[in-house]
Amino acid sequence: ITLALTIALPAIAYGYSLDPSWKYNDPLTVSVYISSSVPYSSDVASGYDNWDSLPQVQTSRSYNANYTEAYFTYSSVSTGAIAETSLIGSSDWKQITIRPEFKTLTSIQRQETVAHEMGHCWGLNDIYNSNLMDETLMRGIGFNNYAFPYQDDKNGIAALY
């Protein structure tokens, strides 16, 4: 008599998408500058601060635009996007451009937008899989009305750093 034993293990799935070329060289000393033209600067500061609970990354506020790794600026040009993150030169210099649509959001949505854009700064990509968007800050469209990294976002950061 042959006995077969099958063990069902839970599937390990993740939704995070990484872009290692955007990694910071030293993710524990990322300085953030907020241009005076950016509206709702307290929501901006709260949004990027929400990543600081992770052991792999740390931000601090800079008041000198010349010595910063994440630069928040405002553009009055509407592109249909709420905000956009661009890699400027090296991987340690990112510009986050806030657009006019940002002003129409609730406070929690503004914080979520900023936290999402900081996710790009860290090296996370947008997620468009509808089965995963409710469990990530990096959802490609819409809002969760939650401005903190989800477990999947944390796993992505841990995989990068």
Side-chain angles (χ1 to χ4, degrees):
I1 295 177
T2 304
L3 204 68
L5 179 63
T6 304
I7 299 173
L9 297 174
I12 298 172
Y14 60 89
Y16 61 80
S17 172
L18 309 177
D19 189 344
S21 67
W22 279 55
K23 281 178 62 172
Y24 282 110
N25 290 322
D26 186 356
L28 294 174
T29 62
V30 173
S31 61
V32 180
Y33 177 80
I34 304 172
S35 168
S36 62
S37 65
V38 173
Y40 301 104
S41 62
S42 62
D43 285 340
V44 172
S46 292
Y48 74 72
D49 274 346
N50 290 345
W51 287 95
D52 289 347
S53 65
L54 280 67
Q56 299 90 349
V57 297
Q58 187 67 44
T59 59
S60 63
R61 181 85 180 256
S62 171
Y63 293 92
N64 185 336
N66 295 320
Y67 299 101
T68 187
E69 287 88 18
Y71 183 99
F72 281 87
T73 187
Y74 177 77
S75 172
S76 61
V77 177
S78 180
T79 64
I82 297 168
E84 299 148 346
T85 301
S86 305
L87 182 62
I88 309 295
S90 78
S91 64
D92 275 2
W93 172 242
K94 281 88 173 200
Q95 178 175 304
I96 302 95
T97 304
I98 302 296
R99 301 288 179 182
E101 291 80 1
F102 186 78
K103 294 178 181 180
T104 68
L105 303 177
T106 65
S107 176
I108 192 67
Q109 289 171 335
R110 289 190 295 267
Q111 291 173 42
E112 182 179 348
T113 298
V114 169
H116 172 97
E117 295 304 322
M118 277 305 296
H120 289 309
C121 290
W122 298 123
L124 299 176
N125 291 322
D126 288 331
I127 300 297
Y128 290 97
N129 182 326
S130 60
N131 295 323
L132 301 172
M133 285 198 294
D134 289 342
E135 299 174 22
T136 180
L137 187 57
M138 299 310 297
R139 65 183 296 139
I141 55 173
F143 293 94
N144 286 329
N145 291 307
Y146 184 75
F148 294 86
Y150 289 75
Q151 188 60 52
D152 194 66
D153 306 311
K154 295 174 184 180
N155 293 344
I157 293 298
L160 274 171
Y161 299 101

